Amino acid sequence: MINDIIEIAKQAGAVVREGFGKNFKIDYKTSENNLVTEVDKASEKLITDFITKKYPGHSILAEEGSGTKNNSEYFWVVDPLDGTTNFAHGLPIFSVSIGVQKNNATIAGVVYDVMNDVIYSAEKGSGAFAGSQKLIVNRTSKLEHSLLVTGFPYNIAENPENAFQKFETLTKKARGVRRLGSAAIDFCFVASGIFEGFWEVHLHPWDICAGKLIVEEAGGLVTDFEGNEINIYSKKILASNGVIHDQIIKEFEKLK
Ligand code: IPD
Ligand code: CA
Ligand code: CA
């Protein structure tokens, strides 16, 4: 199955790359900062058509709405273009993210970093990879020596979960905090050891499913802001190398 997921992520990524920098139709979703382009939709159609054909009967949740609910133990969770705002503005940081669950547990995940042409992949119990290279989180043990990444949801103006205060606190405490604009890539860069940690509020299942497994299979930890186990529907996500996890939680606790 993993080879199929990789193959379709690459094909969808090729559609996204082909559309990058061209004229494409943009629509607004919930607000004027929440975009969807015709490229998001084309990528999604390719992926959902592939799944329906090759794995008929499997359930699919896809961000732009072309999923199907079946009575299956298999559940595909698809973000056809993660980083749409970057894509629409010509910033080459975006990805395709596909996770597969069996009986509510993620068994495989693939994130394709489109412009760097890197496939991140993981299967439950078999490690995480960038191409053929095995991934391992780094072991930095001090928050002060850590480079972190975060993102902001489209309702950031409402400051959900004190998102601005969290950003301020960790910006002062860590070596730096980046904001790349593709949650799936943020997870993969924690798995690769580039970032020690990533947090965000109000993400969606398609932002989380593949990336969470990739971090865990690279030896990292993904929980909520209190250290509790989470699922793909959780609204508070903290992913880290595991070592600095509690230090971040402590900083968040001070803001309560
Ligand atoms: C968004 C990106 C971004 C994150 C947003 C997501 P989209 O996904 O992952 O990094 O900050 O919360 O919604 O809309 O580009 O697929
Ligand atoms: Ca997304
Ligand atoms: Ca998306």
Side-chain angles (χ1 to χ4, degrees):
M1 183 182 255
I2 192 76
N3 289 334
D4 281 340
I5 310 173
I6 290 172
E7 180 52 34
I8 192 60
K10 277 188 174 166
Q11 283 182 28
V15 167
V16 172
R17 192 163 44 240
E18 178 61 32
F20 186 54
K22 308 262 167 66
N23 273 332
F24 40 76
K25 193 171 167 284
I26 300 179
D27 289 320
Y28 301 123
K29 298 209 277 189
T30 50
S31 55
E32 270 192 47
N33 65 351
N34 189 356
L35 314 176
V36 58
T37 73
E38 58 186 308
V39 179
D40 295 74
K41 292 176 186 164
S43 170
E44 181 165 305
K45 184 169 180 347
L46 194 80
I47 297 166
T48 53
D49 282 355
F50 172 89
I51 301 166
T52 317
K53 211 165 159 200
K54 181 99 196 239
Y55 298 96
H58 284 195
S59 291
I60 307 168
L61 174 69
E63 180 176 10
E64 310 310 339
S66 65
T68 41
K69 205 167 183 293
N70 291 316
N71 190 13
S72 168
E73 55 188 351
Y74 289 97
F75 182 51
W76 294 65
V77 186
V78 177
D79 193 333
L81 203 180
D82 185 50
T84 296
T85 307
N86 287 350
F87 177 83
H89 287 260
L91 181 63
I93 304 173
F94 42 81
S95 59
V96 174
S97 173
I98 305 173
V100 180
Q101 296 200 317
K102 187 179 179 190
N103 297 322
N104 301 318
T106 308
I107 55 167
V110 170
V111 173
Y112 183 40
D113 177 343
V114 175
M115 298 311 277
N116 288 316
D117 191 19
V118 177
I119 284 280
Y120 295 91
S121 66
E123 282 177 286
K124 182 86 187 148
S126 303
F129 297 86
S132 58
Q133 196 192 328
K134 198 163 170 28
L135 296 178
I136 176 108
V137 293
N138 74 47
R139 290 293 169 207
T140 302
S141 61
K142 276 186 136 182
L143 185 51
E144 289 76 5
H145 296 171
S146 296
L147 186 62
L148 308 177
V149 65
T150 190
F152 299 111
Y154 294 112
N155 65 341
I156 185 60
E158 294 158 22
N159 194 23
E161 310 291 345
N162 285 329
F164 288 126
Q165 287 78 355
K166 288 186 169 65
F167 180 69
E168 182 181 356
T169 297
L170 288 181
T171 300
K172 287 176 179 167
K173 196 88 191 173
R175 189 169 277 166
V177 179
R178 300 292 179 256
R179 196 275 198 250
L180 299 184
S182 166
I185 289 182
D186 297 334
F187 278 113
C188 293
F189 284 4
V190 172
S192 310
I194 295 170
F195 296 127
E196 280 75 16
F198 163 51
W199 81 96
E200 185 161 348
V201 298
H202 291 199
L203 285 173
H204 296 282
W206 44 81
D207 302 310
I208 298 167
C209 192
K212 175 176 182 283
L213 182 68
I214 291 168
V215 169
E216 290 168 344
E217 288 296 320
L221 186 61
V222 185
T223 70
D224 68 9
F225 295 162
E226 275 149 9
N228 302 309
E229 224 177 87
I230 53 141
N231 59 36
I232 58 173
Y233 303 97
S234 175
K235 291 292 155 205
K236 299 173 202 172
I237 301 290
L238 173 60
S240 83
N241 64 359
V243 194
I244 60 150
H245 213 81
D246 286 346
Q247 295 169 56
I248 296 179
I249 288 174
K250 267 197 196 112
E251 293 304 321
F252 286 171
E253 263 162 16
K254 288 184 204 161
L255 295 172
K256 277 183 179 167

mmCIF file of all heavy atoms in Angstrom, residues 180-208:
data_model
loop_
_atom_site.group_PDB
_atom_site.id
_atom_site.type_symbol
_atom_site.label_atom_id
_atom_site.label_comp_id
_atom_site.label_asym_id
_atom_site.label_seq_id
_atom_site.Cartn_x
_atom_site.Cartn_y
_atom_site.Cartn_z
ATOM 1 N N LEU A 180 6.172 28.375 8.517
ATOM 2 C CA LEU A 180 6.401 28.027 7.105
ATOM 3 C C LEU A 180 5.133 28.045 6.265
ATOM 4 O O LEU A 180 5.189 28.269 5.070
ATOM 5 C CB LEU A 180 7.031 26.635 7.004
ATOM 6 C CG LEU A 180 8.387 26.418 7.665
ATOM 7 C CD1 LEU A 180 8.877 25.010 7.372
ATOM 8 C CD2 LEU A 180 9.410 27.438 7.195
ATOM 9 N N GLY A 181 3.980 27.701 6.859
ATOM 10 C CA GLY A 181 2.729 27.731 6.107
ATOM 11 C C GLY A 181 2.281 26.412 5.518
ATOM 12 O O GLY A 181 1.347 26.388 4.713
ATOM 13 N N SER A 182 2.931 25.313 5.894
ATOM 14 C CA SER A 182 2.432 23.983 5.521
ATOM 15 C C SER A 182 2.635 23.078 6.734
ATOM 16 O O SER A 182 3.764 22.664 7.039
ATOM 17 C CB SER A 182 3.191 23.428 4.314
ATOM 18 O OG SER A 182 2.923 22.034 4.168
ATOM 19 N N ALA A 183 1.544 22.780 7.419
ATOM 20 C CA ALA A 183 1.644 21.987 8.653
ATOM 21 C C ALA A 183 2.282 20.621 8.386
ATOM 22 O O ALA A 183 3.061 20.119 9.193
ATOM 23 C CB ALA A 183 0.259 21.819 9.258
ATOM 24 N N ALA A 184 1.950 20.029 7.235
ATOM 25 C CA ALA A 184 2.496 18.703 6.930
ATOM 26 C C ALA A 184 4.026 18.765 6.819
ATOM 27 O O ALA A 184 4.737 17.870 7.303
ATOM 28 C CB ALA A 184 1.881 18.178 5.636
ATOM 29 N N ILE A 185 4.530 19.839 6.223
ATOM 30 C CA ILE A 185 5.993 20.004 6.135
ATOM 31 C C ILE A 185 6.569 20.290 7.525
ATOM 32 O O ILE A 185 7.642 19.803 7.880
ATOM 33 C CB ILE A 185 6.359 21.100 5.105
ATOM 34 C CG1 ILE A 185 6.058 20.577 3.689
ATOM 35 C CG2 ILE A 185 7.833 21.514 5.227
ATOM 36 C CD1 ILE A 185 6.417 21.533 2.563
ATOM 37 N N ASP A 186 5.851 21.056 8.339
ATOM 38 C CA ASP A 186 6.321 21.324 9.706
ATOM 39 C C ASP A 186 6.572 20.006 10.451
ATOM 40 O O ASP A 186 7.618 19.822 11.087
ATOM 41 C CB ASP A 186 5.291 22.163 10.482
ATOM 42 C CG ASP A 186 5.065 23.545 9.872
ATOM 43 O OD1 ASP A 186 5.977 24.056 9.202
ATOM 44 O OD2 ASP A 186 3.972 24.117 10.086
ATOM 45 N N PHE A 187 5.613 19.092 10.378
ATOM 46 C CA PHE A 187 5.788 17.776 11.023
ATOM 47 C C PHE A 187 7.045 17.083 10.467
ATOM 48 O O PHE A 187 7.852 16.543 11.226
ATOM 49 C CB PHE A 187 4.587 16.870 10.730
ATOM 50 C CG PHE A 187 3.377 17.074 11.601
ATOM 51 C CD1 PHE A 187 2.198 17.584 11.075
ATOM 52 C CD2 PHE A 187 3.392 16.707 12.940
ATOM 53 C CE1 PHE A 187 1.060 17.728 11.863
ATOM 54 C CE2 PHE A 187 2.260 16.851 13.739
ATOM 55 C CZ PHE A 187 1.090 17.367 13.198
ATOM 56 N N CYS A 188 7.183 17.085 9.144
ATOM 57 C CA CYS A 188 8.305 16.353 8.525
ATOM 58 C C CYS A 188 9.653 16.955 8.925
ATOM 59 O O CYS A 188 10.648 16.232 9.047
ATOM 60 C CB CYS A 188 8.161 16.337 7.002
ATOM 61 S SG CYS A 188 6.738 15.379 6.470
ATOM 62 N N PHE A 189 9.676 18.267 9.112
ATOM 63 C CA PHE A 189 10.941 18.895 9.516
ATOM 64 C C PHE A 189 11.268 18.629 10.984
ATOM 65 O O PHE A 189 12.437 18.692 11.379
ATOM 66 C CB PHE A 189 10.908 20.402 9.212
ATOM 67 C CG PHE A 189 11.095 20.736 7.738
ATOM 68 C CD1 PHE A 189 11.188 19.741 6.773
ATOM 69 C CD2 PHE A 189 11.200 22.056 7.316
ATOM 70 C CE1 PHE A 189 11.372 20.048 5.417
ATOM 71 C CE2 PHE A 189 11.394 22.379 5.971
ATOM 72 C CZ PHE A 189 11.469 21.375 5.020
ATOM 73 N N VAL A 190 10.268 18.316 11.790
ATOM 74 C CA VAL A 190 10.553 17.824 13.151
ATOM 75 C C VAL A 190 11.128 16.412 13.030
ATOM 76 O O VAL A 190 12.145 16.081 13.643
ATOM 77 C CB VAL A 190 9.285 17.823 14.040
ATOM 78 C CG1 VAL A 190 9.569 17.135 15.381
ATOM 79 C CG2 VAL A 190 8.794 19.255 14.271
ATOM 80 N N ALA A 191 10.495 15.592 12.204
ATOM 81 C CA ALA A 191 10.973 14.214 12.011
ATOM 82 C C ALA A 191 12.409 14.191 11.488
ATOM 83 O O ALA A 191 13.206 13.323 11.848
ATOM 84 C CB ALA A 191 10.052 13.471 11.041
ATOM 85 N N SER A 192 12.750 15.174 10.651
ATOM 86 C CA SER A 192 14.096 15.218 10.043
ATOM 87 C C SER A 192 15.153 15.771 10.987
ATOM 88 O O SER A 192 16.334 15.739 10.651
ATOM 89 C CB SER A 192 14.101 16.150 8.829
ATOM 90 O OG SER A 192 13.060 15.851 7.976
ATOM 91 N N GLY A 193 14.728 16.346 12.116
ATOM 92 C CA GLY A 193 15.706 16.925 13.042
ATOM 93 C C GLY A 193 16.038 18.375 12.752
ATOM 94 O O GLY A 193 16.946 18.948 13.365
ATOM 95 N N ILE A 194 15.319 19.006 11.829
ATOM 96 C CA ILE A 194 15.547 20.432 11.550
ATOM 97 C C ILE A 194 14.974 21.255 12.707
ATOM 98 O O ILE A 194 15.641 22.118 13.270
ATOM 99 C CB ILE A 194 14.877 20.838 10.223
ATOM 100 C CG1 ILE A 194 15.528 20.112 9.049
ATOM 101 C CG2 ILE A 194 14.935 22.369 10.044
ATOM 102 C CD1 ILE A 194 14.778 20.274 7.719
ATOM 103 N N PHE A 195 13.727 20.969 13.037
ATOM 104 C CA PHE A 195 13.061 21.629 14.165
ATOM 105 C C PHE A 195 12.988 20.664 15.337
ATOM 106 O O PHE A 195 12.779 19.462 15.152
ATOM 107 C CB PHE A 195 11.623 22.026 13.791
ATOM 108 C CG PHE A 195 11.526 23.045 12.686
ATOM 109 C CD1 PHE A 195 10.746 22.803 11.571
ATOM 110 C CD2 PHE A 195 12.195 24.265 12.779
ATOM 111 C CE1 PHE A 195 10.634 23.750 10.555
ATOM 112 C CE2 PHE A 195 12.096 25.216 11.772
ATOM 113 C CZ PHE A 195 11.314 24.955 10.654
ATOM 114 N N GLU A 196 13.105 21.237 16.544
ATOM 115 C CA GLU A 196 12.906 20.419 17.749
ATOM 116 C C GLU A 196 11.430 20.295 18.081
ATOM 117 O O GLU A 196 11.030 19.354 18.775
ATOM 118 C CB GLU A 196 13.646 21.026 18.949
ATOM 119 C CG GLU A 196 15.127 20.726 18.990
ATOM 120 C CD GLU A 196 15.944 21.517 17.988
ATOM 121 O OE1 GLU A 196 15.442 22.516 17.454
ATOM 122 O OE2 GLU A 196 17.093 21.109 17.722
ATOM 123 N N GLY A 197 10.631 21.271 17.644
ATOM 124 C CA GLY A 197 9.221 21.196 17.996
ATOM 125 C C GLY A 197 8.327 21.983 17.050
ATOM 126 O O GLY A 197 8.769 22.923 16.378
ATOM 127 N N PHE A 198 7.064 21.573 17.016
ATOM 128 C CA PHE A 198 6.023 22.224 16.204
ATOM 129 C C PHE A 198 4.734 22.216 17.008
ATOM 130 O O PHE A 198 4.386 21.203 17.602
ATOM 131 C CB PHE A 198 5.834 21.434 14.909
ATOM 132 C CG PHE A 198 4.548 21.718 14.153
ATOM 133 C CD1 PHE A 198 4.159 23.021 13.854
ATOM 134 C CD2 PHE A 198 3.712 20.680 13.746
ATOM 135 C CE1 PHE A 198 2.977 23.280 13.162
ATOM 136 C CE2 PHE A 198 2.528 20.928 13.051
ATOM 137 C CZ PHE A 198 2.157 22.235 12.759
ATOM 138 N N TRP A 199 4.063 23.362 17.063
ATOM 139 C CA TRP A 199 2.732 23.340 17.681
ATOM 140 C C TRP A 199 1.784 24.173 16.840
ATOM 141 O O TRP A 199 2.200 25.068 16.104
ATOM 142 C CB TRP A 199 2.781 23.886 19.125
ATOM 143 C CG TRP A 199 2.769 25.385 19.217
ATOM 144 C CD1 TRP A 199 1.668 26.174 19.418
ATOM 145 C CD2 TRP A 199 3.871 26.280 19.090
ATOM 146 N NE1 TRP A 199 2.038 27.500 19.432
ATOM 147 C CE2 TRP A 199 3.388 27.596 19.231
ATOM 148 C CE3 TRP A 199 5.257 26.099 18.865
ATOM 149 C CZ2 TRP A 199 4.202 28.724 19.151
ATOM 150 C CZ3 TRP A 199 6.066 27.230 18.790
ATOM 151 C CH2 TRP A 199 5.541 28.507 18.930
ATOM 152 N N GLU A 200 0.522 23.853 16.921
ATOM 153 C CA GLU A 200 -0.502 24.653 16.254
ATOM 154 C C GLU A 200 -1.859 24.302 16.843
ATOM 155 O O GLU A 200 -2.069 23.196 17.337
ATOM 156 C CB GLU A 200 -0.502 24.415 14.728
ATOM 157 C CG GLU A 200 -1.480 25.346 14.010
ATOM 158 C CD GLU A 200 -1.234 25.521 12.506
ATOM 159 O OE1 GLU A 200 -0.174 25.116 12.007
ATOM 160 O OE2 GLU A 200 -2.134 26.086 11.847
ATOM 161 N N VAL A 201 -2.783 25.263 16.795
ATOM 162 C CA VAL A 201 -4.154 24.999 17.237
ATOM 163 C C VAL A 201 -5.074 24.981 16.016
ATOM 164 O O VAL A 201 -4.774 25.587 14.987
ATOM 165 C CB VAL A 201 -4.660 26.052 18.251
ATOM 166 C CG1 VAL A 201 -3.790 26.024 19.503
ATOM 167 C CG2 VAL A 201 -4.703 27.457 17.659
ATOM 168 N N HIS A 202 -6.181 24.276 16.176
ATOM 169 C CA HIS A 202 -7.262 24.246 15.184
ATOM 170 C C HIS A 202 -6.843 23.693 13.828
ATOM 171 O O HIS A 202 -7.323 24.145 12.791
ATOM 172 C CB HIS A 202 -7.909 25.638 15.027
ATOM 173 C CG HIS A 202 -8.676 26.051 16.233
ATOM 174 N ND1 HIS A 202 -9.633 27.026 16.231
ATOM 175 C CD2 HIS A 202 -8.642 25.606 17.524
ATOM 176 C CE1 HIS A 202 -10.145 27.175 17.431
ATOM 177 N NE2 HIS A 202 -9.546 26.325 18.248
ATOM 178 N N LEU A 203 -5.918 22.746 13.840
ATOM 179 C CA LEU A 203 -5.611 22.040 12.586
ATOM 180 C C LEU A 203 -6.757 21.067 12.273
ATOM 181 O O LEU A 203 -7.631 20.822 13.109
ATOM 182 C CB LEU A 203 -4.299 21.262 12.723
ATOM 183 C CG LEU A 203 -3.024 22.097 12.692
ATOM 184 C CD1 LEU A 203 -1.818 21.215 13.018
ATOM 185 C CD2 LEU A 203 -2.818 22.771 11.328
ATOM 186 N N HIS A 204 -6.702 20.491 11.099
ATOM 187 C CA HIS A 204 -7.733 19.547 10.665
ATOM 188 C C HIS A 204 -7.105 18.157 10.489
ATOM 189 O O HIS A 204 -5.882 18.045 10.347
ATOM 190 C CB HIS A 204 -8.337 20.024 9.345
ATOM 191 C CG HIS A 204 -9.044 21.338 9.472
ATOM 192 N ND1 HIS A 204 -10.300 21.456 10.005
ATOM 193 C CD2 HIS A 204 -8.635 22.597 9.172
ATOM 194 C CE1 HIS A 204 -10.657 22.726 10.023
ATOM 195 N NE2 HIS A 204 -9.665 23.443 9.518
ATOM 196 N N PRO A 205 -7.944 17.118 10.444
ATOM 197 C CA PRO A 205 -7.410 15.748 10.309
ATOM 198 C C PRO A 205 -6.435 15.593 9.143
ATOM 199 O O PRO A 205 -5.419 14.903 9.253
ATOM 200 C CB PRO A 205 -8.659 14.892 10.078
ATOM 201 C CG PRO A 205 -9.778 15.663 10.681
ATOM 202 C CD PRO A 205 -9.427 17.122 10.577
ATOM 203 N N TRP A 206 -6.718 16.258 8.019
ATOM 204 C CA TRP A 206 -5.857 16.102 6.832
ATOM 205 C C TRP A 206 -4.497 16.807 7.002
ATOM 206 O O TRP A 206 -3.559 16.507 6.290
ATOM 207 C CB TRP A 206 -6.575 16.604 5.569
ATOM 208 C CG TRP A 206 -7.289 17.913 5.755
ATOM 209 C CD1 TRP A 206 -6.743 19.160 5.728
ATOM 210 C CD2 TRP A 206 -8.691 18.107 6.017
ATOM 211 N NE1 TRP A 206 -7.708 20.115 5.963
ATOM 212 C CE2 TRP A 206 -8.914 19.499 6.134
ATOM 213 C CE3 TRP A 206 -9.766 17.229 6.161
ATOM 214 C CZ2 TRP A 206 -10.185 20.034 6.392
ATOM 215 C CZ3 TRP A 206 -11.022 17.762 6.408
ATOM 216 C CH2 TRP A 206 -11.225 19.148 6.523
ATOM 217 N N ASP A 207 -4.419 17.769 7.943
ATOM 218 C CA ASP A 207 -3.119 18.398 8.229
ATOM 219 C C ASP A 207 -2.266 17.488 9.114
ATOM 220 O O ASP A 207 -1.038 17.601 9.131
ATOM 221 C CB ASP A 207 -3.304 19.717 8.997
ATOM 222 C CG ASP A 207 -4.155 20.732 8.262
ATOM 223 O OD1 ASP A 207 -3.883 20.978 7.087
ATOM 224 O OD2 ASP A 207 -5.084 21.290 8.887
ATOM 225 N N ILE A 208 -2.947 16.645 9.898
ATOM 226 C CA ILE A 208 -2.295 15.925 10.998
ATOM 227 C C ILE A 208 -1.956 14.473 10.661
ATOM 228 O O ILE A 208 -0.902 13.955 11.067
ATOM 229 C CB ILE A 208 -3.245 15.933 12.234
ATOM 230 C CG1 ILE A 208 -3.498 17.376 12.709
ATOM 231 C CG2 ILE A 208 -2.683 15.084 13.374
ATOM 232 C CD1 ILE A 208 -4.650 17.499 13.717
#
